[in-house]
Amino acid sequence: MIKFPAAAAVLSGIFLVFLATTVAGALLAALSTRVIRSVCGLALCCLGLAGLYYFLHSPFLALMELLIYVGAVCVTIVFAIMLAEPDESRTAAPRAATAGWSAAALFASGGVFWGLARLAGQVAWAPPPARLNDGSVPAVGRALLTTHSLTFELISVVLLVAILGALVIARPGRSQL
Amino acid sequence: MTHLPIYEEPGVYLLVGAFLFAAGLYGLIRRRTLIGMLIAGELIFSAASLNLLAFNRFVAADPTVGQLFVLFIMGLAAAEVAIVLSIVIAVYRQYRSVSTRDLSELKG
């Protein structure tokens, strides 16, 4: 079935590198105590996710993931960290309460992961009988401007309103100056 | 059943998606600052996107729908980040802190 087994092995190796990048980035983002390291973990995680998107036959989304998440979201969060010093002080919380919350968080997330992983492993996902198109970038562009044009315009309105709202909230206002 | 390479298995992607969701949930409970909770929320967004794309690749009949859905999720996540960070700036200006422990004025 596979004509070039060596090529498949190389591809599997690249895929595993992206997988490890995603997992390591998520762990760094969730576990590190300093917020700036957590942002770096998020950027790493999005880098790996872009690779996974490429393996899922969506090169356009891989590019957008890099552009929006690594380029825009992480940089904006870094700006916010510079403006508001968010580092958690170690001595602020009592020891017992912290351990209790840790255990509760670990229990909840572990339970969710176990359930979802079990569910994903149990079902045999059947491929569709026929595909309507090849899912390439021209097909995505055509769908974006024909079938989903209303959603596309609504997203632009949402982004505009969000930017205006962010400006209104973050600005101190004339009376307080 | 032939032996597929690992990147053609839908279960692997679903497992990574579940892991991202669990990591985001852990961070959301465990983090004590607003920005840390925002980062954990972004992880949960990523988990949803990865799941949708995996189903789009392996199960859906029209492979453009999932890609567009994930594109719209990215747009909404960007809008959410802009709003949340402006709220963080406003809260920091008011309280001189973004720790969730200090933001308890409405608590009875």
Side-chain angles (χ1 to χ4, degrees):
Chain A
M1 179 187 166
I2 300 166
K3 283 187 185 153
F4 301 102
V10 169
L11 276 181
S12 299
I14 297 174
F15 177 77
L16 286 179
V17 167
F18 281 131
L19 206 69
T21 309
T22 309
V23 170
L27 281 179
L28 189 59
L31 295 180
S32 81
T33 48
R34 309 218 28 192
V35 180
I36 186 76
R37 285 184 199 151
S38 187
V39 178
C40 293
L42 182 66
L44 202 64
C45 178
C46 291
L47 204 68
L49 269 178
L52 293 189
Y53 289 175
Y54 198 85
F55 272 99
L56 285 169
H57 297 194
S58 324
F60 178 62
L61 279 183
L63 189 63
M64 283 298 124
E65 175 87 13
L66 286 183
L67 203 66
I68 296 179
Y69 272 97
V70 183
V73 169
C74 288
V75 171
T76 320
I77 296 178
V78 168
F79 269 111
I81 291 175
M82 278 168 21
L83 288 176
E85 309 131 17
D87 270 333
E88 306 168 347
S89 54
R90 289 185 175 279
T91 54
R95 201 94 190 152
T98 309
W101 276 111
S102 262
L106 204 61
F107 181 73
S109 55
V112 164
F113 176 68
W114 182 75
L116 285 178
R118 222 178 113 85
L119 193 65
Q122 271 179 352
V123 184
W125 304 104
R131 289 188 199 277
L132 299 181
N133 51 49
D134 55 353
S136 58
V137 180
V140 169
R142 216 170 290 126
L144 196 60
L145 290 182
T146 54
T147 318
H148 304 277
S149 54
L150 178 69
T151 327
F152 184 59
E153 296 301 327
L154 278 179
I155 286 287
S156 355
V157 174
V158 165
L159 277 174
L160 177 69
V161 172
I163 291 170
L164 288 180
L167 284 178
V168 168
I169 295 173
R171 198 172 157 273
R174 288 213 180 101
S175 56
Q176 297 168 18
L177 279 178
Chain B
M1 183 72 196
T2 53
H3 183 66
L4 286 175
I6 185 173
Y7 50 88
E8 296 286 345
E9 295 278 353
V12 177
Y13 297 98
L14 297 180
L15 209 63
V16 176
F19 175 78
L20 283 181
F21 184 79
L25 189 67
Y26 179 84
L28 205 59
I29 301 176
R30 194 65 193 76
R31 285 276 166 193
R32 281 173 304 196
T33 64
L34 294 180
I35 296 182
M37 291 171 80
L38 171 69
I39 292 171
E42 290 300 317
L43 281 184
I44 295 182
F45 268 118
S46 304
S49 303
L50 185 63
N51 244 4
L52 281 172
L53 264 190
F55 284 126
N56 178 55
R57 161 78 179 81
F58 293 107
V59 183
D62 185 354
T64 60
V65 175
Q67 299 191 36
L68 289 179
F69 213 103
V70 171
L71 205 57
F72 295 146
I73 290 181
M74 282 183 195
L76 285 181
E80 178 238 3
V81 165
I83 292 285
V84 169
L85 288 181
S86 69
I87 291 177
V88 164
I89 298 297
V91 163
Y92 181 74
R93 190 178 293 138
Q94 196 80 19
Y95 290 90
R96 290 285 136 197
S97 157
V98 289
S99 165
T100 48
R101 179 172 290 273
D102 300 332
L103 309 176
S104 53
E105 202 149 276
L106 274 181
K107 224 184 243 175

